[in-house]
Amino acid sequence: MASANPLALREQFDTAAQQKDASVLAMWIFLVTEIMFFGGLFLAYTAYRSFYPEVFGAASRTLSATIGAVNTAVLLTSSYTMVLAVRAAQKGSRKALIWFLILTMIFGTVFLGVKAYEWHEKFVEHHVPGPSFHLEGEPLQGQAQLFFSLYFAMTGLHALHMVVGMGIMTVMTWRAWLGRFNADYYTPIDVAGLYWHFVDVIWIFLFPLLYLIDRHVPK
Amino acid sequence: MITAALEEREHYLNASYGLKSWLLTKDHKRIALLYLGTITLFFALGGLFATMIRIELLTPQPDLVSSETYNKLFTMHGVIMVFLFLVPSIPATLGNFFLPIMIGAKDLAFPKLNLLSWYLLVAGGLCTLGAMFAGGVDTGWTFYTPYSSTYSNTYVIATALGIFIAGFSSILTGLNFIVTVHRMRAPGMTWFRLPLFVWSNYATSLIMVLGTPVLAVTILLVGCERLFHIGIFDPALGGDPVLFQHMFWFYSHPAVYIMVLPGMGVVSELVATFSRKRVFGYGFVAFSSVAIAVLGFLVWGHHLFVSGQSVYAGMVFSFLSYFVAVPSAIKVFNWTATLYKGSISYDTPMLYAFGFIGLFTMGGLTGLFLAALGIDVHVTDTYFVVAHFHYIMVGGTLMAYLGGMHYWWPKMTGRMYPEGWAKLSALVVFLGFNLTFFPQFVLGYLGMPRRYHVYPPEFQVLHVMSTAGASVLAVGYLMPLVYFLWSLRYGKLAPANPWGATGLEWQTSSPPPTHNFEEPPVVTHEAYDFAALLEEAQVG
Ligand SMILES: [Cu+2]
């Protein structure tokens, strides 16, 4: 096992460089599968928004663009601390690595907290698809529900990816604490960073698609 | 005596013993055998459902099962055969075993992930089988909404969950193969020295990685729709059931190539080895696999010609569906050209390869009928379609799978199978297959719809022929099962290279050692270079 020596090469590889290349390539391919996965949701969104632009606009205006923007900033900051964590790993400074990973997790938690607050608001306002759904002043209740179905599916899956990311960060922090990484071997941090940034990028698309449509139309 | 000699040498089978050494193995060869056992069971189960379907169809009236049960039978036959047998079939067994060896690697890039893929297939399979024993599912393997999302009262979610989980098995296998081909090739193994089996598995992996996630999210939405009534596919709320068809076929048409591309790879190996010639137009055959993978993503709309898709979309999809036939045809022509002036030997694997080429060609050409807008309207959802895709999947993929199994069996087990019986099985499978499915082309053209167990009496003769053929086919499939198992104990010991073939897998011993090669191979010549093989033999 790698526990004794973190530099230990797994037996199927010939060189450390080959092992690192393989891991990074694998993460990129995995991210491609993730794009295809979210792609299905983006397709459904595109289809229904083009079918029902007015209803989607009206439903979107019930979301708070301010809260969404603040949360976007929080998530982008977490990506920044993640970059600093990778940099710290590169330089082999264990303490900085641990602190930046923890900071990343803190920003991630704040994001999820704000998200939970927003979902709670939706429950209170009866904007959750189902029998008690009601969107004030909207004659086409079914189509408005479609918007919120997509809203919950997309932000829910995104949040799930955040939770998985937090799990990965926890493991990484633990392994960094145990001193498993150094300037020659920090591939897991690199790969975890790729994943974290990807989850960020998904949000960068979700935010305008869900929060910012039809804002220019005066009420 | 001889057995003792085999036991003396350490290889991947006797390197360690016990259940744990198999269930926790990281050796791609052992994982391939785990897959082999698993999918053989799934195939048997899927075959059992097919048998019941064929028996029911012997007479025009319902006699064996009710309509509801019949719906469940064809659904479970389709779900098991497509998602649990055909999709993993060649890549997860022969691909898993030979892809690393063929490129001169010690293992796949991620052995633990490989083992996880197998566990995911088992978990997905158990979930699906659980749904079946609980009462089954009746939506057809295509799960069309709104029937699957709103109306069906059967175990849709459990079955869909099983497919979802098995899908991740497929994604991880594809990811593992791609990274392995990119990063694990032996010194001198350039991209254009790769055996064509590796190229075709690489192209298959691209489809697995790009297509399967879309199926996953589609299934997820159907599940959410059933559980929470969120309206994504529900017309009552403004949702569009046809959107489901688009998303489903965006995966499921390319999935046809997941099923057949690896088979094409096997046939390329077989045709080269048993013609003792380099595959004619190697570059074209290699790139046609990638072309199929890419173009395969652009033709899904041919499943929606009668679903209210716009006529212009229909025309584009029709044209593209013709276009995707070109790379397939390139392969068939190149195989044929390879045979020309080759010194052909008619060993069992080659008989299966011939079977593949003939049946795949028929399946492909009838696919062109279906890609034509006008004819498709006439034969949509008839037995013509059923016959067409069975020619591709059973006549194509399964023939290639069996051909590959015979070809590589000596390498995998260190034992030869009985050649006489094997040749007979190839013949029986070929005859049984045609007797089963050719009448179905006629049935479909005459108007017999698929998924019905009651039909006008004038169709009975053709249905009886088909059922008779299925019985012959069953015998044809049982024979290899019996003599393969027999050969494990009584088969002649296999030499390292029984066929005089060129791939790296034939340069290591039979069965190979755990790390595949005694010393890391260095590749110095092209694939299928029989002249170099001959020279080496003379020098050696
Ligand atoms: Cu198709």
Side-chain angles (χ1 to χ4, degrees):
Chain A
M1 285 301 289
S3 55
N5 174 13
L7 293 175
L9 200 56
R10 275 165 282 157
E11 54 195 5
Q12 69 272 26
F13 295 109
D14 294 326
T15 63
Q18 186 190 30
Q19 175 167 313
K20 179 173 177 160
D21 275 1
S23 304
V24 173
L25 179 62
M27 183 44 92
W28 278 107
I29 296 170
F30 176 72
L31 296 183
V32 169
T33 72
E34 288 276 27
I35 290 174
M36 297 308 289
F37 187 77
F38 277 97
L41 289 170
F42 283 119
L43 172 74
Y45 174 90
T46 310
Y48 292 138
R49 183 172 158 194
S50 71
F51 290 173
Y52 317 120
E54 286 84 14
V55 186
F56 266 49
S60 163
R61 282 194 294 273
T62 66
L63 300 172
S64 163
T66 318
I67 296 183
V70 168
N71 231 2
T72 307
V74 169
L75 203 55
L76 282 177
T77 314
S78 82
S79 252
Y80 179 61
T81 54
M82 187 66 227
V83 171
L84 292 176
V86 174
R87 184 76 194 122
Q90 262 172 1
K91 288 194 295 191
S93 64
R94 171 168 161 267
K95 237 183 179 165
L97 170 60
I98 293 171
W99 276 114
F100 283 125
L101 285 175
I102 291 175
L103 267 179
T104 307
M105 284 195 283
I106 290 174
F107 285 116
T109 314
V110 171
F111 177 90
L112 286 173
V114 174
K115 202 71 236 162
Y117 166 77
E118 285 186 287
W119 284 336
H120 175 74
E121 290 289 279
K122 296 288 116 194
F123 270 93
V124 175
E125 293 163 2
H126 296 282
H127 289 167
V128 177
S132 68
F133 179 86
H134 182 72
L135 185 65
E136 203 73 9
E138 176 56 63
L140 299 167
Q141 290 291 323
Q143 301 173 2
Q145 265 197 68
L146 265 185
F147 175 85
F148 285 102
S149 298
L150 287 166
Y151 169 81
F152 278 102
M154 292 167 115
T155 57
L157 271 176
H158 177 260
L160 186 67
H161 280 79
M162 293 280 298
V163 172
V164 171
M166 305 278 280
I168 295 172
M169 291 300 153
T170 312
V171 174
M172 290 302 137
T173 313
W174 175 243
R175 288 176 65 182
W177 177 261
L178 293 176
R180 293 286 163 76
F181 305 119
N182 56 38
D184 293 322
Y185 177 75
Y186 58 91
T187 312
I189 302 285
D190 227 8
V191 170
L194 277 178
Y195 175 83
W196 190 261
H197 298 317
F198 166 80
V199 178
D200 250 27
V201 170
I202 291 287
W203 178 257
I204 302 285
F205 282 90
L206 290 184
F207 174 57
L209 288 181
L210 295 170
Y211 288 73
L212 300 181
I213 48 177
D214 222 15
R215 288 277 167 186
H216 59 284
V217 179
K219 266 214 157 173
Chain B
M1 283 279 286
I2 300 169
T3 315
L6 184 71
E7 291 306 324
E8 272 164 30
R9 190 175 62 79
E10 183 173 299
H11 50 78
Y12 80 103
L13 289 169
N14 67 7
S16 53
Y17 289 99
L19 195 61
K20 218 176 123 190
S21 77
W22 283 87
L23 292 182
L24 296 178
T25 182
K26 288 188 278 169
D27 182 348
H28 65 105
K29 300 182 286 303
R30 285 190 167 206
I31 296 172
L33 294 190
L34 291 175
Y35 267 115
L36 179 62
T38 314
I39 67 167
T40 305
L41 286 178
F42 288 143
F43 178 73
L45 201 61
L48 184 74
F49 290 127
T51 311
M52 289 164 77
I53 291 171
R54 282 318 321 168
I55 294 175
E56 170 58 51
L57 289 172
L58 268 175
T59 63
Q61 323 84 34
D63 18 45
L64 185 65
V65 295
S66 66
S67 314
E68 287 77 19
T69 312
Y70 186 79
N71 291 345
K72 290 177 181 173
L73 283 180
F74 69 68
T75 302
M76 297 190 288
H77 166 69
V79 166
I80 292 181
M81 286 305 203
V82 170
F83 296 110
L84 301 179
F85 174 72
L86 284 164
V87 167
S89 62
I90 295 176
T93 56
L94 297 172
N96 221 332
F97 201 109
F98 289 105
L99 185 131
I101 305 183
M102 283 174 144
I103 64 171
K106 281 179 276 204
D107 204 317
L108 286 171
F110 306 105
K112 279 190 208 159
L113 206 62
N114 193 22
L115 183 64
L116 176 67
S117 315
W118 177 70
Y119 275 104
L120 285 172
L121 180 72
V122 171
L126 287 178
C127 199
T128 306
L129 296 189
M132 281 169 197
F133 289 117
V137 61
D138 68 348
T139 59
W141 76 277
T142 45
F143 292 97
Y144 270 22
T145 54
Y147 184 67
S148 64
S149 53
T150 311
Y151 302 108
S152 173
N153 292 318
T154 54
Y155 291 84
V156 178
I157 292 186
T159 313
L161 183 68
I163 295 170
F164 185 84
I165 297 171
F168 281 94
S169 162
S170 171
I171 290 175
L172 294 181
T173 302
L175 188 151
N176 221 337
F177 280 9
I178 294 177
V179 176
T180 303
V181 175
H182 274 275
R183 293 283 182 259
M184 312 290 281
R185 283 171 286 124
M189 180 54 90
T190 61
W191 280 87
F192 289 100
R193 285 178 179 173
L194 289 175
L196 290 163
F197 181 68
V198 176
W199 271 102
S200 73
N201 271 284
Y202 181 80
T204 308
S205 304
L206 290 178
I207 308 176
M208 286 173 163
V209 160
L210 291 172
T212 322
V214 179
L215 176 75
V217 76
T218 310
I219 290 176
L220 199 67
L221 287 175
V222 171
C224 289
E225 174 97 44
R226 265 186 92 83
L227 282 173
F228 311 119
H229 309 287
I230 61 171
I232 301 274
F233 302 120
D234 182 0
L237 295 177
D240 185 357
V242 178
L243 179 67
F244 170 86
Q245 295 186 24
H246 280 288
M247 291 170 75
F248 178 82
W249 289 112
F250 182 84
Y251 164 78
S252 292
H253 183 82
V256 173
Y257 298 114
I258 292 181
M259 297 179 234
V260 84
L261 267 172
M264 294 168 153
V266 170
V267 170
S268 296
E269 299 297 316
L270 300 184
V271 167
T273 297
F274 295 100
S275 309
R276 312 207 62 73
K277 261 180 75 185
R278 180 172 163 82
V279 172
F280 183 83
Y282 167 95
F284 279 94
V285 180
F287 273 119
S288 64
S289 292
V290 181
I292 287 174
V294 174
L295 291 172
F297 276 108
L298 306 176
V299 302
W300 78 89
H302 62 218
H303 297 271
L304 285 82
F305 285 162
V306 297
S307 299
Q309 173 181 256
S310 91
V311 77
Y312 300 104
M315 281 158 66
V316 171
F317 280 122
S318 172
F319 170 76
L320 288 170
S321 303
Y322 272 86
F323 201 62
V324 78
V326 174
S328 300
I330 286 176
K331 285 184 193 285
V332 173
F333 287 128
N334 281 294
W335 292 325
T336 320
T338 308
L339 296 174
Y340 180 68
K341 288 193 175 168
S343 58
I344 298 170
S345 46
Y346 295 90
D347 295 290
T348 312
M350 189 59 157
L351 296 185
Y352 275 108
F354 281 133
F356 174 98
I357 295 174
L359 299 179
F360 173 76
T361 304
M362 275 199 61
L365 290 177
T366 50
L368 291 179
F369 290 35
L370 292 163
L373 287 165
I375 301 175
D376 185 66
V377 172
H378 178 62
V379 292
T380 285
D381 279 347
T382 67
Y383 266 73
F384 192 87
V385 178
V386 175
H388 155 68
F389 69 71
H390 280 88
Y391 264 76
I392 300 285
M393 292 179 182
V394 187
T397 306
L398 210 57
M399 286 299 240
Y401 176 62
L402 286 173
M405 281 300 296
H406 284 85
Y407 180 56
W408 281 303
W409 185 257
K411 183 56 64 181
M412 294 165 80
T413 63
R415 298 284 183 167
M416 300 301 291
Y417 56 83
E419 184 66 24
W421 284 102
K423 278 185 174 150
L424 184 64
S425 86
L427 192 70
V428 172
V429 167
F430 184 78
L431 293 177
F433 175 84
N434 281 297
L435 185 56
T436 310
F437 292 105
F438 194 82
Q440 297 188 3
F441 278 127
V442 184
L443 273 171
Y445 205 77
L446 294 176
M448 169 82 202
R450 69 193 284 198
R451 297 179 172 176
Y452 278 74
H453 75 323
V454 182
Y455 56 84
E458 55 266 37
F459 289 151
Q460 190 173 11
V461 176
L462 289 163
H463 270 302
V464 170
M465 282 167 76
S466 184
T467 301
S471 322
V472 178
L473 197 54
V475 174
Y477 290 147
L478 279 175
M479 285 167 62
L481 187 69
V482 173
Y483 63 68
F484 274 148
L485 288 175
W486 175 89
S487 77
L488 286 179
R489 204 177 166 87
Y490 305 104
K492 272 190 302 192
L493 284 186
N497 190 359
W499 315 115
T502 56
L504 282 180
E505 77 269 31
W506 303 109
Q507 292 179 20
T508 186
S509 43
S510 303
T514 300
H515 286 298
N516 296 342
F517 299 98
E518 298 302 344
E519 50 200 86
V522 177
V523 182
T524 51
H525 46 79
E526 315 283 283
Y528 318 115
D529 192 339
F530 287 94
L533 189 76
L534 208 65
E535 255 170 52
E536 269 163 36
Q538 281 161 354
V539 171

